[in-house]
Amino acid sequence: MNFTRWSARLPGTQRRAAARTDRGSVPAARVEYGRQSEHGPDAPDAPGDAAMHPPHPLTDLSVREILGRLPALVALVYGPEHRVAYVNDAYAAAFGPRETGAPAAVALPELDELGLLPLMDQVLRSGTPRTVKSRKVPKGGSYTITCTPIETPAGAAGDEGGGEGGVLVFAADVTDHAEAAERLRASERRLRETAVTLQRSLLPQELEQPDDLRIAATYQPGGTDAAVGGDWYDVITLGAGRTALVIGDVMGRGVRAAAVMGQLRTAVRAYARLDLPPHEVLQLLDGLAAEIDASQIATCAYAVHDPNEGRLVYASAGHLPILVRDEDGTVRRAEDHTGPPLGTGGWMHTSGTIALPPGSTAVLYTDGLVERRREDIDEGVAALERALSGATGTPQVVCDRLIRALGVTADHDDDVAVLVLQHPTRTGPDAELFHNAALELLGGIEAAPRARAFATGVLASWRFPVELCDLGVLAASELVANSLQHGTPPMRLRLRRTDRRLIIEVTDGDDHLPRRRRAEPVDEAGRGISIVATIASSWGSRRTPGGGKAVWCEFALPTGTP
């Protein structure tokens, strides 16, 4: 095979051929490394030296010699069947010697295993080089391969493949790089799996379901190319039928963001047990966020639902507005009671209210649901409002519909958390399981007997078992007596029943919260709260917004109670 003819169209060969033609038949003098000029070791070359002496000895090497010395794998094929014209020493060492003239599909099966034959067809037809990166050979090793079109002089006599187009296959061994990249990807996958596991373990495994609300939540981490963020949500029962709802987002990615999120969520649950107004909870959380990590900024929305008032009381630290859908499909946006994100300090948060009547649905969410690149976030919130206006069904169905409507997929580039709560409309037999009764107490010696008589009549009308009626009357009597002794008017006794519990609550105008203490045998007072705590399933107290306090207790209804 005349390899010189095959190399005629390789880059640079035309210039060297022209140079040899210009010099005629006189062979160029060879220049040895380290040869000195005839004018002396330090003298500049004579004007004719550049023409007399080639600048580098590689100009005298043939293309075959150059390709044969390369550590990369080189194969040259020609014709539509890609018949083998040449393989270099590195190729033969890697895959064994190859017979020239045979089709590549037979003589070079490794190219077929790498899926290169269709690519070589394309290169031969288009005349455009193509490169594939890090292709792995089944027998081991990874290669980055470039297929370059080669033209040969037409009618080259005695030249195998003369006049036909060919393809030069150049394969660089990148096994070490591929293995290092795979180790890096595996490490990133493990880190992401760790962050996702930590994130999910810190979120509530099962949402608390209050008597008066139906709640569902969805958390979806970002796609595999996105690091896990710090989105979280929570549902906290506060007692007396009240429920706290929380959603937040730590600005950051990875395990650190998830760890900060876990600390904030734990702190929110602790502060919620104090039964403080929403803005006071955020105020405490703001100081804690700065102590946890001043570089991690977080947003949070905290809302409290009170079934007696039929509304949400909320506060927001840099978070997106709560949306409420009424039964007729009208969507309302919570008014702006938003302070800066947690951890910034120096801001007094405020609380707002939004009505949540029977039949309505409220949605709390993180920015991953509505924020898109090159798009204003208000447009995303508006799109969510449109989607919510037509979203009906159970809370979980609403979650799924909102996720789909906003185009959130498994490859989404940000975490998404959605919390949906519904205040259901109750009719028929279901409505008979929910009742409220209240009595205004003016004080004086007749207040306690009136409270006992009122509680006895109401509990009997609700057809509770005799034992539960007696315990309820006793608890109401003790709470009223405590309020008469330590509180100030106005006073109110409220009884409430749900399908699962009996709630007794007394409010008055004094804001000093009672505490349980051990009464000595000689003490004539101080046993009321201890008695309530002993006979009730749970009890608690809180300050009311207008000044004053509420003291409550709950009794779980026996199974089968109508």
Side-chain angles (χ1 to χ4, degrees):
M1 179 183 71
N2 186 352
F3 197 87
T4 302
R5 294 185 181 275
W6 270 100
S7 65
R9 295 300 178 89
L10 290 174
T13 56
Q14 297 91 336
R15 293 192 299 272
R16 291 195 295 272
R20 286 194 294 270
T21 303
D22 292 343
R23 291 197 297 269
S25 60
V26 179
R30 295 182 181 272
V31 180
E32 302 294 339
Y33 285 113
R35 177 177 175 181
Q36 297 178 355
S37 169
E38 61 182 278
H39 301 286
D42 299 323
D45 290 340
D49 281 352
M52 295 292 294
H53 307 298
H56 200 282
L58 290 179
T59 56
D60 294 324
L61 293 176
S62 68
V63 175
R64 176 187 288 273
E65 291 174 306
I66 294 174
L67 297 181
R69 297 181 185 183
L70 290 178
L73 281 57
V74 177
L76 185 63
V77 298
Y78 64 90
E81 294 183 343
H82 306 301
R83 295 185 177 275
V84 180
Y86 167 79
V87 295
N88 70 346
D89 296 341
Y91 196 106
F95 298 112
R98 294 293 185 266
E99 178 184 355
T100 59
V106 177
L108 305 175
E110 56 278 356
L111 298 186
D112 192 19
E113 294 173 349
L114 290 168
L116 291 178
L117 296 184
L119 182 66
M120 293 163 62
D121 291 337
Q122 181 184 0
V123 169
L124 193 61
R125 288 193 305 269
S126 66
T128 304
R130 293 287 186 270
T131 298
V132 293
K133 295 183 179 181
S134 194
R135 288 284 178 91
K136 191 171 184 179
V137 180
K139 296 180 181 179
S142 297
Y143 295 88
T144 291
I145 304 161
T146 300
C147 296
T148 305
I150 302 294
E151 297 180 5
T152 60
D159 186 9
E160 190 171 3
E164 294 185 283
V167 177
L168 179 70
V169 180
F170 184 93
D173 189 345
V174 293
T175 302
D176 292 342
H177 296 283
E179 291 177 351
E182 180 57 34
R183 289 194 296 270
L184 179 60
R185 285 192 294 269
S187 175
E188 291 175 346
R189 283 195 300 270
R190 288 193 297 270
L191 183 62
R192 186 176 186 279
E193 290 169 359
T194 300
V196 170
T197 301
L198 176 61
Q199 175 86 340
R200 291 193 181 279
S201 66
L202 293 174
L203 292 174
Q205 303 304 302
E206 186 175 351
L207 288 178
E208 299 180 27
Q209 293 292 336
D211 298 352
D212 297 273
L213 299 176
R214 298 293 178 265
I215 301 177
T218 294
Y219 168 74
Q220 180 170 314
T224 55
D225 293 335
V228 175
D231 294 19
W232 95 91
Y233 56 83
D234 208 349
V235 178
I236 309 165
T237 54
L238 302 177
R242 302 168 71 251
T243 306
L245 306 127
V246 194
I247 196 160
D249 185 3
V250 176
M251 304 302 178
R253 299 288 180 181
V255 175
R256 180 59 185 165
V260 172
M261 176 274 290
Q263 295 178 76
L264 291 178
R265 176 175 174 259
T266 301
V268 169
R269 293 192 71 88
Y271 294 147
R273 298 303 177 191
L274 300 175
D275 216 340
L276 299 172
H279 65 276
E280 292 189 23
V281 172
L282 292 189
Q283 209 70 47
L284 293 171
L285 203 60
D286 179 57
L288 180 65
E291 294 178 8
I292 293 175
D293 190 339
S295 64
Q296 293 279 6
I297 303 301
T299 65
C300 180
Y302 182 91
V304 175
H305 174 255
D306 190 334
N308 297 311
E309 299 176 356
R311 63 179 183 173
L312 285 177
V313 181
Y314 66 90
S316 174
H319 206 77
L320 294 166
I322 299 171
L323 302 181
V324 175
R325 177 190 183 275
D326 291 327
E327 197 167 14
D328 61 0
T330 303
V331 176
R332 294 176 286 117
R333 186 183 299 193
E335 294 181 1
D336 188 14
H337 283 271
T338 302
L342 300 175
T344 56
W347 181 269
M348 294 299 294
H349 293 273
T350 59
S351 294
T353 61
I354 186 169
L356 192 71
S360 59
T361 300
V363 178
L364 293 77
Y365 52 96
T366 57
D367 59 1
L369 181 65
V370 296
E371 189 173 28
R372 301 292 182 270
R373 294 178 182 176
R374 298 180 295 276
E375 196 174 292
D376 192 280
I377 195 168
D378 286 336
E379 297 179 11
V381 176
L384 178 60
E385 290 179 337
R386 292 191 295 271
L388 178 59
S389 66
T392 58
T394 65
Q396 188 59 59
V397 170
V398 173
C399 276
D400 297 340
R401 288 182 175 178
L402 296 180
I403 291 287
R404 289 196 303 270
L406 273 294
V408 177
T409 65
D411 297 326
H412 196 58
D413 61 358
D414 195 5
D415 290 16
V416 175
V418 182
L419 182 65
V420 174
L421 57 140
Q422 291 180 345
H423 186 184
T425 301
R426 295 184 172 87
T427 57
D430 189 38
E432 294 300 318
L433 301 178
F434 293 80
H435 289 288
N436 287 280
L439 173 66
E440 300 293 337
L441 299 171
L442 301 178
I445 58 173
E446 76 283 355
R450 286 187 62 215
R452 284 193 294 271
F454 175 78
T456 302
V458 169
L459 297 182
S461 69
W462 289 347
R463 296 182 296 175
F464 284 151
V466 174
E467 181 180 358
L468 180 58
C469 287
D470 292 342
L471 292 176
V473 170
L474 176 58
S477 176
E478 293 295 338
L479 291 181
V480 168
N482 181 79
S483 181
L484 290 172
Q485 182 173 358
H486 302 287
T488 58
M491 301 177 187
R492 170 184 285 188
L493 169 63
R494 175 181 289 162
L495 304 178
R496 174 174 172 78
R497 72 153 293 172
T498 70
D499 58 345
R500 287 182 279 182
R501 72 196 77 229
L502 165 65
I503 302 167
I504 301 173
E505 183 178 71
V506 175
T507 60
D508 63 51
D510 185 82
D511 63 357
H512 290 86
L513 300 181
R515 58 186 179 87
R516 186 179 180 182
R517 65 185 181 88
R518 183 185 298 276
E520 298 297 332
V522 296
D523 292 342
E524 296 182 359
R527 295 181 176 84
I529 296 299
S530 294
I531 292 173
V532 171
T534 301
I535 64 175
S537 303
S538 60
W539 79 281
S541 61
R542 71 179 187 279
R543 291 185 173 90
T544 53
K549 66 176 178 295
V551 186
W552 55 268
C553 66
E554 294 181 352
F555 293 87
L557 299 186
T559 304
T561 301

